Amino acid sequence: MRSLLFSVAIILFFPIAQCLTPECDTRDRGSTLQILHVNSPCSPFRTESPLSWEHSVLQMQSKDYARLQYLSSLVAGRSIAPIASGRTITQNPTYIVRAKIGTPSQTLLMAVDTSNDAAFVPCAGCVGCSSSAEFDPSLSSSFKPLPCGGPQCSQVPNPSCGVTTCGYNTTYGNSAISSTLAQDNVTLATDSIVGYTFSCVRTSTGTSLPAQGLLGLGRGPLSLVTQSNSLYQSTFSYCLPSYKSNNFTGSLRLGPNSQPKRIKTSPLLRNPRRSSLYYVNLMAIRVGRRVVNIPPSAFTFDPTTGAGTVFDSGTVFTSLVKPAYTAVRDEFRRRMGNATISTLGGFDTCYTVPVTVPTITFMFSGMNVTLPQDNFLIRSTAGTTSCLAMAGAPDNVNSVLNVIASFQQQNHRILIDIPNSKLGVAREACS
Ligand SMILES: *[C@@H]1O[C@H](CO)[C@@H](O)[C@H](O)[C@H]1NC(C)=O
Ligand SMILES: *[C@@H]1O[C@H](CO)[C@@H](O)[C@H](O)[C@H]1NC(C)=O
Ligand SMILES: *[C@@H]1O[C@H](CO)[C@@H](O)[C@H](O)[C@H]1NC(C)=O
Ligand SMILES: *[C@@H]1O[C@H](CO)[C@@H](O)[C@H](O)[C@H]1NC(C)=O
Ligand SMILES: *[C@@H]1O[C@H](CO)[C@@H](O)[C@H](O)[C@H]1NC(C)=O
C-alpha cells in the first residue's frame, strides 16, 4: 500500500515537474520552440522565494563571473573535447526549451547554451541529479548506449572502457559528472533528429549541473547544430524574452525556413581552436551619437589567443575588456553631467536620477546595432535606481574576450547562419 501510494505520487509529480503551467504552455510548432527564462514565472525551475531586486541582480552577476571564467578557460587554449567542452563549466544556464527524447518520447525542459557543444541528459537512477527531471532509457525502444572504441567515444575526454559502453568522467563547475555516451532520437517541436549523441548522466556531485540538463547549440563537431546539419543546415535564430517578463513568447527557430529576410548581418568568424564559439568583428562603440575612443587592440580577433568578441546567451551582462569598458563608462558618465554616481555590486555606474543617454550602439563590420535603454539599463522595480548594465572583464580572468550577453540581446532576433558565415540582429518584441 505504501509503495502504491508512493508510485502514484511520483506519477502525479512527474508531469508537474516536467511541464509548464497550462497558461504558459503554447505548443511548439514546426521547427520553432518556445524559449523561456529559467526564472520566469512559467519556469518550473525558478526559485520559489523571489529575491529582492538587489539580490537578484547581484546573484546574476556572480553567476556571470563564473560564466566569464568558463569562457576564458575556453579561449585560453586548453584542449577542447567536442562533448563536455572544457574542464570547468561553472555557470547556471539561463534559458530553457522543451526537448522530447526517445520512443515513446519523454519530455525534458533543457537549458540551451550557445557557447557549448555538450548535451548532458540526467538519466534515471542518476545519483545526485534532480529526480524530477530525468530521462529513463529503459522506457525508450530507440535508446542505444554507444560502444567503447566507436568514433564518438574517441571524442570524449578520458573515456573509461572497463565496461562495454563508453563511459567518461568530467567536471561541470563544482560538479563531478560520470556519464555514459548514448544515442536516441530527439524531437524538437515536430522535427525528429534520429540517433542524436549525448551524455547520459549517471552520477553527479556538487551543485553546478543544471537539473534540466544541457542542450549545446555551439558550432563544434558534436553539437546539436552539427549533428542536425542535414535537417537544419546549421542555421537557427532565437529571440530571448526579458528575464523579468511574464510573457513567454521567446522562440528558438531551427533551420533556414522562415528566418527573417530583412535583417542586418555581420560576418561570423570561425576560430578552429575554439570551435564552439560564435565570434564576430566588433569595431567600435557609440554612446549616444559619439563614437567612443577605444584602442583597436581591444577588439582584435586573434584565433591563437582567443581574443575578440563573441555572442553568448549564457552570460547575462555584456562584458568588455577593460580599456573598452572604461571608455564607454566614462562617456556615459560625462553625458550624465554631475549627477551623483553610486554602485551596485559589480556595476559602477548607477544613478537615482533619470538617465539621459538614449542609446548605445555596437558597431560590427557591416552592421550597427543600436540598443534602446531597456537593453543597457537595469532598473530597480521601484524605478529609483538605474545602472549601466555592462561590466569590465573581471580582473583575475584572462580577459581578452568581449562577450555580447543576453541582457543586451533581449527582444532582438539573433540569426546564426553558418553556411553563409553570417550573424544577424533585428529588433523583435518577444516579451
Ligand atoms: C527513432 O528512431 C528509430 C530508428 O532508430 C525509428 O524506428 C523510430 O521510429 C524513431 N522514433 C521516433 C519517435 O522518431
Ligand atoms: C568516474 O566516476 C565514477 C563515479 O563517481 C567512479 O566510480 C569511477 O571510478 C570514475 N572513473 C574514473 C576513470 O575516474
Ligand atoms: C505580454 O504580451 C502582451 C501581448 O502579447 C502585451 O500586451 C503585454 O504588455 C505583455 N506583458 C509584458 C509584461 O511584457
Ligand atoms: C552641477 O552641479 C552644480 C551644483 O550642484 C549645479 O549647479 C549644476 O547645474 C550642475 N551641472 C550640470 C551640468 O548638471
Ligand atoms: C555605422 O554608423 C557609422 C556612423 O557612426 C557609419 O559611418 C557607418 O557607415 C555605419 N555602418 C553601417 C554598416 O551602417
Side-chain angles (χ1 to χ4, degrees), residues 286 291 363-364 366-368:
R286 243 172 21 212
V291 177
M363 301 164 75
F364 301 97
M367 165 177 90
N368 290 337

Side-chain angles (χ1 to χ4, degrees), residues 20-42:
L20 305 177
T21 54
E23 66 272 23
C24 292
D25 193 6
T26 60
R27 282 287 138 196
D28 297 333
R29 276 186 209 93
S31 304
T32 300
L33 292 119
Q34 184 182 356
I35 190 166
L36 66 152
H37 194 275
V38 76
N39 285 336
S40 87
C42 292

Side-chain angles (χ1 to χ4, degrees), residues 150-174:
Q152 293 92 349
C153 194
S154 65
Q155 291 180 291
V156 300
N158 310 314
S160 69
C161 284
V163 284
T164 52
T165 55
C166 176
Y168 76 104
N169 290 355
T170 188
T171 56
Y172 189 104
N174 66 17

